[in-house]
Amino acid sequence: MAQWHKNKIQRENGEWVDAQFPVIVSASRSTDIPAFYSDWFFHRLKVGYSAWTNPFNGVKSYVAYGDTRFIVFWSKNPEPLLKHLDYLQERNIGCYIQYTLNDYVAEGLERGVPALEKRIETFRQLVEKLGKGRVVWRFDPLILTDKISIDDLLCKVENIGNKLDGYTEKLVFSFADIALYKKVKANLEKSKVNYSEWTKEQMLEFARRLVELNKSNNWNYTLATCGETVDLDGISHNHCIDDNLMIRFAYNDKALMDFLGVEIKSVEKSLFGAMPIPPNAIMLNANQYAIKHKDNRDKGQRTACGCMVSKDIGEYNTCPHLCEYCYANASKEAAVKNYEQAKLTDWKSETITGR
């Protein structure tokens, strides 16, 4: 397993504390940092550290950014990132964005997100800024209710897919597994959303029809599931925090490549043309490819999760998108209260919650 070092850092109040120095940062599976906490995060990045509270034992720890080489952002509205991305380039820190772009407008399941067309426009702006491939489209989760059928979901996906054609390479999705997440179940029932669990037969039907849509619309998207154990024809298992993407976008960063266990090699040529390239090679350009000598997968994640090792810096109960199916908020009231508390600190707090 990939590891990073720990060392002492000096807090702004002068106290010396232990901190971990992650090379890969996830921002974040636990809350929407780009939408609501971009100013906080980039302030902390400049200061050099932030604090993080463990959701299971309440213990506060410190995360230092001196070794950080790559950040994976997760968001339903990453528009606030646009004004900060130049700073990452100045620091030579790579990034890509997992952009959850759903359409549950008519059903009111995501009341806190901007209008759909605005979110699509933000997607395009980010691609123009970062380049194609660095903004990954997620329709996540796919949820079935008394008002949303498989037909409805496919229509929603097709509408967005047509508008993102040329702007993304991949569509990642997952099937809402409500029984597995007590918070999701409680939040949906509290809001009187009449949901139903996906059966394997329904998953297979959706996947088959999605593959057909991808072909008939000539999208040529890579289709992938997130955290799903079911194998679906024409659809791969995703690696959301993906070292292969990092290699592709940041192969010139030697420190990052060393951490990932990557060797960059030149395509060798002879009088008879190019020499054979190993089947596990990652092509970078016409003249170079990468060989990965290390398994960077995070063994601490769910069995079906393909993510590599990273440090997530978000905290639960802090996202005021207030999606009805949220797994990260115990209650909407707690999320709003924490967000308002954070704003009172003018984003100068060590923690997202402002405490």
Side-chain angles (χ1 to χ4, degrees), residues 223-281:
L223 304 176
T225 56
C226 172
E228 298 288 349
T229 57
V230 63
D231 292 323
L232 303 167
D233 289 341
I235 295 172
S236 61
H237 294 278
N238 200 50
H239 309 273
C240 299
I241 299 189
D242 188 347
D243 48 359
N244 287 351
L245 272 184
M246 296 176 196
I247 294 165
R248 174 182 163 192
F249 296 136
Y251 63 89
N252 287 323
D253 185 334
K254 187 178 185 306
L256 179 60
M257 294 303 102
D258 288 346
F259 175 77
L260 296 177
V262 171
E263 180 183 6
I264 306 298
K265 306 196 73 160
S266 298
V267 176
E268 296 183 15
K269 297 180 180 179
S270 70
L271 293 174
F272 305 101
M275 300 290 285
I277 295 172
N280 62 334

Side-chain angles (χ1 to χ4, degrees), residues 64-76:
Y65 300 111
D67 292 349
T68 298
R69 308 304 314 139
F70 210 97
I71 301 170
V72 178
F73 292 105
W74 309 68
S75 186
K76 290 183 178 176

Side-chain angles (χ1 to χ4, degrees), residues 307-324:
C307 286
M308 66 163 290
V309 174
S310 64
K311 173 56 185 169
D312 197 295
I313 60 165
E315 297 194 32
Y316 291 134
N317 296 312
T318 59
C319 180
H321 275 318
L322 307 182
C323 301
E324 301 296 347

Side-chain angles (χ1 to χ4, degrees), residues 140-183:
D140 180 31
L142 295 163
I143 185 167
L144 294 174
T145 74
D146 56 347
K147 297 179 180 178
I148 307 173
S149 66
I150 289 178
D151 287 344
D152 295 327
L153 288 171
L154 288 164
C155 285
K156 294 171 185 291
V157 169
E158 183 172 23
N159 176 50
I160 298 175
N162 285 333
K163 292 176 180 178
L164 294 184
D165 192 9
Y167 287 89
T168 191
E169 300 173 345
K170 180 182 280 190
L171 165 57
V172 179
F173 63 94
S174 70
F175 302 104
D177 192 352
I178 296 160
L180 187 63
Y181 296 96
K182 292 180 180 179
K183 288 181 185 177

Side-chain angles (χ1 to χ4, degrees), residues 40 52 64 125 132 136 152 158 181 193 252 277 281 289 324 334:
W40 170 84
W52 177 79
Q125 289 178 319
K132 188 177 176 182
V136 179
D152 295 327
E158 183 172 23
Y181 296 96
V193 176
N252 287 323
I277 295 172
Y289 61 91
E324 301 296 347

Side-chain angles (χ1 to χ4, degrees), residues 10-282:
Q10 188 172 24
R11 296 174 61 196
E12 290 173 290
N13 66 4
E15 179 188 10
W16 287 89
V17 294
D18 293 322
Q20 52 186 307
F21 285 69
V23 177
I24 313 296
V25 168
S26 168
S28 158
R29 296 182 184 94
S30 304
T31 192
D32 197 325
I33 287 177
F36 299 109
Y37 302 98
S38 282
D39 290 345
W40 170 84
F41 174 69
F42 281 90
H43 172 70
R44 299 316 307 176
L45 194 60
K46 291 172 185 176
V47 171
Y49 78 95
S50 62
W52 177 79
T53 303
N54 187 305
F56 301 105
N57 58 23
V59 174
K60 181 182 286 188
S61 60
Y62 295 88
V63 180
Y65 300 111
D67 292 349
T68 298
R69 308 304 314 139
F70 210 97
I71 301 170
V72 178
F73 292 105
W74 309 68
S75 186
K76 290 183 178 176
N77 176 30
E79 190 271 341
L81 279 181
L82 285 165
K83 67 180 180 181
H84 294 294
L85 292 174
D86 287 342
Y87 178 71
L88 292 182
Q89 188 171 13
E90 291 171 16
R91 286 276 298 267
N92 193 32
I93 295 175
C95 78
Y96 65 81
I97 302 169
Q98 294 279 350
Y99 191 159
T100 299
L101 183 49
N102 301 333
D103 177 8
Y104 292 127
V105 176
E107 300 80 13
L109 296 183
E110 298 177 336
R111 298 182 189 276
V113 301
L116 179 59
E117 291 303 322
K118 171 64 175 173
R119 285 179 282 143
I120 290 171
E121 179 57 28
T122 294
F123 196 107
R124 293 170 175 165
Q125 289 178 319
L126 287 165
V127 173
E128 289 166 1
K129 180 78 174 176
L130 293 172
K132 188 177 176 182
R134 289 180 184 257
V135 188
V136 179
W137 175 31
R138 303 174 69 89
F139 200 115
D140 180 31
L142 295 163
I143 185 167
L144 294 174
T145 74
D146 56 347
K147 297 179 180 178
I148 307 173
S149 66
I150 289 178
D151 287 344
D152 295 327
L153 288 171
L154 288 164
C155 285
K156 294 171 185 291
V157 169
E158 183 172 23
N159 176 50
I160 298 175
N162 285 333
K163 292 176 180 178
L164 294 184
D165 192 9
Y167 287 89
T168 191
E169 300 173 345
K170 180 182 280 190
L171 165 57
V172 179
F173 63 94
S174 70
F175 302 104
D177 192 352
I178 296 160
L180 187 63
Y181 296 96
K182 292 180 180 179
K183 288 181 185 177
V184 176
K185 187 174 186 292
N187 287 333
L188 288 172
E189 291 176 352
K190 184 177 180 180
S191 298
K192 296 181 171 56
V193 176
N194 297 315
Y195 65 86
S196 60
E197 297 282 359
W198 286 81
T199 66
K200 185 173 182 180
E201 291 72 23
Q202 288 173 319
M203 294 179 190
L204 292 171
E205 178 191 349
F206 179 88
R208 175 183 58 78
R209 294 174 63 183
L210 179 61
V211 169
E212 291 173 356
L213 267 184
N214 195 30
K215 291 179 181 177
S216 62
N217 286 287
N218 294 313
W219 294 336
N220 297 315
Y221 296 151
T222 296
L223 304 176
T225 56
C226 172
E228 298 288 349
T229 57
V230 63
D231 292 323
L232 303 167
D233 289 341
I235 295 172
S236 61
H237 294 278
N238 200 50
H239 309 273
C240 299
I241 299 189
D242 188 347
D243 48 359
N244 287 351
L245 272 184
M246 296 176 196
I247 294 165
R248 174 182 163 192
F249 296 136
Y251 63 89
N252 287 323
D253 185 334
K254 187 178 185 306
L256 179 60
M257 294 303 102
D258 288 346
F259 175 77
L260 296 177
V262 171
E263 180 183 6
I264 306 298
K265 306 196 73 160
S266 298
V267 176
E268 296 183 15
K269 297 180 180 179
S270 70
L271 293 174
F272 305 101
M275 300 290 285
I277 295 172
N280 62 334
I282 301 168

